[in-house]
Amino acid sequence: MLLKQNYDVVVIGAGPAGATLAYELGKKGIGVLVLEKEKLPRYKCCAGGVTSKAANLLDFDISAVAEDVICEVAFTFNLGNPFLGQHSEPLIYTVMRDVFDHFLMQRAQRLGAMLMDGKRVTQIQLGGDSVEISTADSTFRSRLVVGADGAYSIVARELSMNRGIEYITAIESEIVVAEDDLAKWKSRVRIDLGVIPGGYAWVFPKRGQLSIGAGCRASRARHLNRNYQKFLNSLSIGNYTIARSGSHLIPTCTEGRLVWQDRALLLGDAAGLTDPLTGEGIYNAIRSAQLAAPVIENYLTGAAGGLQDYQQIVDKKIITELRMARTLAKYFIRFPRLVFRILSKSDRVWRAERKVILGETDYAAVNEEVGGLKGILGQLLRL
Ligand SMILES: Cc1cc2nc3c(=O)[nH]c(=O)nc-3n(C[C@H](O)[C@H](O)[C@H](O)COP(=O)(O)OP(=O)(O)OC[C@H]3O[C@@H](n4cnc5c(N)ncnc54)[C@H](O)[C@@H]3O)c2cc1C
């Protein structure tokens, strides 16, 4: 049966971006319809690292859904001896994304957002005064549509907004280990910089398992599986079972990325807003939603400004920062051994990185602090 239903805002995708937008609009008294293709709670292939800077964006506490609280990052180069980056306060919260994303969505529902899960959007059509959004059995008409539908966004594809994106290929397994093995990882994340050419490998501890993964630029992913296996074998974990395993793309945007068009906005991964240096995407998923909410409110109430304001704000507040991250990622990819040496020899670099994780500074400020490329080269010569 084909239903025609009218809404002010239809959000596609109930990940951190879509759920946060529904929550932020709910706070403003604006009800939205969220269409999600999976039944919630749904698994998402992700290390589930929510940095303190991401957690601090939210005006509620996430500790109820945190699996572990990370205060130490063990960096290694090509499976060698670690450099331990430590902090007395939480750096990262680890979460299982099915639980975390559902938790965010429930917050939005309490403020009036309507969720229809198990509804895959198959078509979007922009009209003169509305947008038509179709699923297999329904059509929804809306004043505007928001694509928060992740790396394989149908909104971006249907509206030809999927240009200017580069991809990181990532693989990950949820590995169930014995309790004494798990205890060794408590409060500690492991990052190896050399074992995956053009990327890195990680271990993120959860309550009953370890999320172990690896990622690199899609163009260099030919041996990703083999190198991932090498990393896994090096961890000397006793008996383990793989509860779940998968691969997924992480989208990062390049110059001139379009995040707005006519009656459509893109958020989070759909807009390609992950950090090209770290692969962190939850922060900008939440942030882009928070930047979109007041623009949407203005649009619906007929106040000054239009939806195009979102493009300008994202360019200024997110893309500029991602451009800096992209530059840093180039050094990281080309000179991982040197990056590790600088990190392990200079307390200044870890202190700067820690501040970025905590949200106390950004890449632009760090770049200035270390004196840009000249400063980095100076550091290298001194080592
Ligand atoms: C292996 C891996 C590890 C990662 N680790 C981290 C990490 O530790 N920390 C971090 O910050 N980031 C990490 N990321 C990135 C992070 O997962 C994403 O950036 C984040 O999920 C983006 O949130 P989002 O809401 O934009 O999209 P998503 O979380 O992908 O949500 C999109 C939603 O849209 C739904 N959807 C898709 N298509 C349709 C459709 N046609 N109709 C209806 N619904 C649809 C999906 O089912 C999904 O629920 C990792 C990514 C990968 C692949």
Side-chain angles (χ1 to χ4, degrees):
M1 183 179 52
L2 204 65
L3 303 169
K4 287 245 181 196
Q5 301 168 38
N6 292 307
Y7 294 88
D8 278 336
V9 184
V10 172
V11 179
I12 302 173
T20 303
L21 180 65
Y23 175 75
E24 292 295 329
L25 291 178
K27 285 199 297 190
K28 296 175 184 298
I30 300 169
V32 304
L33 170 66
V34 180
L35 297 173
E36 165 58 52
K37 73 176 163 64
E38 306 291 338
K39 278 277 175 201
L40 296 190
R42 60 95 181 88
Y43 176 77
K44 163 83 176 80
C45 175
C46 182
V50 180
T51 55
S52 278
K53 76 171 174 177
N56 289 340
L57 287 176
L58 300 168
D59 57 9
F60 49 84
D61 183 24
I62 63 158
S63 50
V65 289
E67 299 270 316
D68 200 354
V69 179
I70 306 301
C71 296
E72 181 176 288
V73 184
F75 294 96
T76 51
F77 174 74
N78 210 0
L79 314 177
N81 290 329
F83 161 76
L84 301 181
Q86 294 164 323
H87 190 47
S88 52
E89 301 285 322
L91 292 165
I92 300 168
Y93 301 87
T94 62
V95 298
M96 289 307 293
R97 288 289 305 277
D98 50 351
V99 177
F100 178 70
D101 292 12
H102 196 208
F103 173 75
L104 297 183
M105 193 58 226
Q106 284 172 325
R107 290 257 157 186
Q109 285 173 281
R110 270 189 238 153
L111 295 182
M114 191 203 284
L115 169 71
M116 288 193 194
D117 56 357
K119 287 261 183 200
R120 176 191 288 272
V121 170
T122 51
Q123 202 181 24
I124 316 273
Q125 276 185 305
L126 288 178
D129 57 0
S130 65
V131 193
E132 283 206 347
I133 299 133
S134 304
T135 65
D137 60 2
S138 314
T139 297
F140 304 89
R141 195 175 285 136
S142 173
R143 287 177 68 188
L144 65 107
V145 64
V146 181
D149 49 342
Y152 309 96
S153 170
I154 185 159
V155 182
R157 246 182 303 133
E158 286 277 292
L159 303 181
S160 302
M161 294 169 75
N162 53 350
R163 290 183 210 112
I165 299 245
E166 282 176 2
Y167 292 98
I168 296 168
T169 302
I171 51 177
E172 184 163 271
S173 301
E174 309 298 344
I175 297 200
V176 181
V177 299
E179 249 174 56
D180 49 341
D181 266 328
L182 196 60
K184 291 181 205 153
W185 293 94
K186 177 118 191 66
S187 301
R188 173 195 274 199
V189 153
R190 162 86 180 272
I191 307 280
D192 188 280
L193 301 184
V195 71
I196 309 290
Y200 70 94
W202 64 80
V203 181
F204 276 62
K206 307 286 168 67
R207 221 170 268 149
Q209 66 211 54
L210 301 172
S211 294
I212 303 182
C216 65
R217 287 219 168 154
S219 55
R220 299 188 64 175
R222 226 172 102 216
H223 301 301
L224 182 60
N225 270 309
R226 193 184 66 196
N227 292 326
Y228 169 73
Q229 202 54 50
K230 189 171 154 196
F231 176 65
L232 187 56
N233 295 342
S234 77
L235 297 172
S236 313
I237 302 170
N239 287 335
Y240 64 81
T241 51
I242 298 181
R244 198 140 191 171
S245 215
S247 69
H248 207 275
L249 292 176
I250 301 180
T252 71
C253 62
T254 54
E255 291 300 312
R257 175 84 187 112
L258 207 58
V259 297
W260 151 79
Q261 179 185 293
D262 199 359
R263 296 173 173 277
L265 304 181
L266 299 178
L267 312 179
D269 272 17
L273 300 181
T274 53
D275 181 324
L277 178 64
T278 62
E280 177 183 12
I282 296 170
Y283 174 73
N284 276 333
I286 294 172
R287 186 126 192 269
S288 57
Q290 291 178 338
L291 295 174
V295 174
I296 291 173
E297 182 187 29
N298 284 346
Y299 176 75
L300 293 176
T301 56
L307 288 179
Q308 68 274 16
D309 289 357
Y310 174 68
Q311 178 78 52
Q312 283 163 19
I313 296 170
V314 169
D315 282 346
K316 190 164 164 224
K317 306 224 167 180
I318 299 183
I319 309 271
T320 310
E321 181 66 355
L322 294 184
R323 191 181 303 135
M324 192 58 73
R326 179 172 298 280
T327 306
L328 292 172
K330 277 187 197 149
Y331 298 121
F332 173 90
I333 285 166
R334 290 176 66 184
F335 312 113
R337 182 194 296 270
L338 287 175
V339 168
F340 178 73
R341 276 191 75 190
I342 294 173
L343 186 63
S344 52
K345 302 273 178 202
S346 159
D347 193 39
R348 207 166 144 211
V349 176
W350 165 244
R351 270 191 278 125
E353 185 163 345
R354 191 173 64 195
K355 277 179 155 180
V356 172
I357 295 173
L358 295 170
E360 291 169 2
T361 190
D362 56 18
Y363 291 131
V366 168
N367 188 50
E368 213 162 278
E369 202 178 303
V370 298
L373 179 58
K374 229 167 141 192
I376 293 171
L377 288 174
Q379 293 247 16
L380 289 178
L381 291 173
R382 283 195 290 276
L383 292 177

